[in-house]
Amino acid sequence: PVERRGKELFSLHRLEQLLSCFCQLFEDPVLSGLPTRSIIQTNTQFLKMRVQLSTALFLVACGVTSAFAPTATNSVCRNNLNNVPLFMSTEAASLNGADVADVEIPTKLPSDVGMDYVPLATMLATGQLAEADQFTRDALIVLAGSKAKGRDFVYFTEVKNIPSTDLATIERLWNKFSGGKFGYSVQKKKWRQSKGDFEVWCKKIGWTTTDGEVERKKRWFGASEFTYDVKKAPEGHLPLTSALRGTSLIKALLNHPVWDNDDWTKEP
């Protein structure tokens, strides 16, 4: 029932908030009273628990079944705190068209600003591409400093503020869970193939459609016309970047210094 799922989501969110507070507490040797080695071990356990919570939140939000029901969480619960990677249930994987039931959720996701990328990893690993796309845009708004200025969009001049470490983490996740099909680096490759022609580029990555004989850009707002399916979407289709204010933002992202070499591909 919807009411039950709502209560479970609330409970899981509260647990996630508590875990976050505990993580902050145990990061401080003075407050925790623990030696450094114990702090590292404790934080590692908390991180694994947060991965499990993110998976449970996904299951409940999708309404597959109760997050506390054995049918949905057997494969999650079998993974104790010392067993990584985490695996999804067959039911959850098939819901999103996954080819296999076992989906690995990465836990080493570096950030220069303390951004938590476990939710993004979980969304991508479980096929929630629309949600992952939105998370990515929201993250860039924070990373670029736009959020602190009270804006919910990024100016192209702010792209240089996005840490390479964070953009690399985001890119590796998109690349990993799309089999190399999605990500800014893929879009940059398509941009070079299009010789910097925005219209050609949009057509190449599937951002255009036709109404009769008229070709136009796909609509983003309302009922999105974009394809949130790894098998059906063309290379470079995701993540989306708004071009309502021109192409400067897209160009700035594709020319970020992180793409100057292949260091971003190296796993932490």
Side-chain angles (χ1 to χ4, degrees):
V2 174
E3 183 179 357
R4 182 177 179 181
R5 287 206 304 274
K7 290 179 180 178
E8 290 177 353
L9 276 170
F10 177 78
S11 298
L12 289 168
H13 277 299
R14 288 290 293 163
L15 282 171
E16 198 169 31
Q17 289 171 357
L18 285 171
L19 277 174
S20 179
C21 290
F22 278 124
C23 285
Q24 293 176 19
L25 171 64
F26 281 98
E27 283 175 357
D28 191 322
V30 177
L31 291 176
S32 66
L34 294 172
T36 303
R37 185 174 181 180
S38 296
I39 291 173
I40 294 173
Q41 291 174 342
T42 302
N43 276 331
T44 300
Q45 289 182 329
F46 279 141
L47 180 57
K48 293 174 185 177
M49 290 170 69
R50 291 184 73 183
V51 174
Q52 291 178 331
L53 275 174
S54 295
T55 305
L57 279 165
F58 156 74
L59 289 171
V60 178
C62 289
V64 179
T65 183
S66 167
F68 305 107
T71 55
T73 55
N74 272 349
S75 57
V76 174
C77 295
R78 282 198 298 270
N79 288 275
N80 57 38
L81 295 179
N82 297 314
N83 187 7
V84 175
L86 174 71
F87 295 101
M88 291 290 294
S89 66
T90 304
E91 186 175 7
S94 62
L95 176 72
N96 297 284
D99 290 328
V100 295
D102 295 337
V103 183
E104 181 182 345
I105 311 290
T107 56
K108 292 182 179 179
L109 305 170
S111 169
D112 282 353
V113 297
M115 181 77 74
D116 182 5
Y117 292 110
V118 169
L120 177 60
T122 305
M123 293 169 192
L124 288 169
T126 53
Q128 300 299 289
L129 298 184
E131 290 79 3
D133 184 49
Q134 185 61 55
F135 181 100
T136 300
R137 281 192 300 279
D138 291 343
L140 295 186
I141 291 169
V142 174
L143 294 168
S146 310
K147 194 74 173 179
K149 296 176 183 176
R151 276 189 282 101
D152 60 356
F153 59 90
V154 179
Y155 281 143
F156 74 95
T157 54
E158 295 172 327
V159 170
K160 63 181 183 295
N161 300 330
I162 300 174
S164 293
T165 299
D166 290 74
L167 201 51
T169 296
I170 291 171
E171 184 67 10
R172 280 194 300 272
L173 289 173
W174 275 100
N175 223 252
K176 175 183 177 68
F177 292 111
S178 66
K181 199 170 185 178
F182 297 149
Y184 297 113
S185 63
V186 182
Q187 292 176 351
K188 183 177 179 66
K189 181 180 71 175
K190 296 297 180 182
W191 183 266
R192 286 198 300 264
Q193 292 173 356
S194 304
K195 298 181 179 179
D197 187 314
F198 181 70
E199 299 301 324
V200 173
W201 181 71
C202 285
K203 188 172 183 178
K204 192 177 287 286
I205 64 175
W207 284 12
T208 60
T209 187
T210 54
D211 280 337
E213 297 180 355
V214 179
E215 186 177 78
R216 63 169 175 80
K217 301 292 188 301
K218 287 185 176 179
R219 297 189 180 97
W220 188 351
F221 302 102
S224 176
E225 295 179 330
F226 291 89
T227 306
Y228 300 100
D229 187 308
V230 174
K231 294 179 180 178
K232 297 178 181 178
E235 286 188 356
H237 192 66
L238 297 173
L240 303 178
T241 301
S242 175
L244 288 176
R245 299 175 182 85
T247 61
S248 297
L249 176 58
I250 292 173
K251 291 177 181 177
L253 280 169
L254 299 184
N255 288 309
H256 190 281
V258 73
W259 317 126
D260 289 348
N261 52 57
D262 292 331
D263 287 351
W264 67 268
T265 62
K266 298 175 182 177
E267 294 289 344

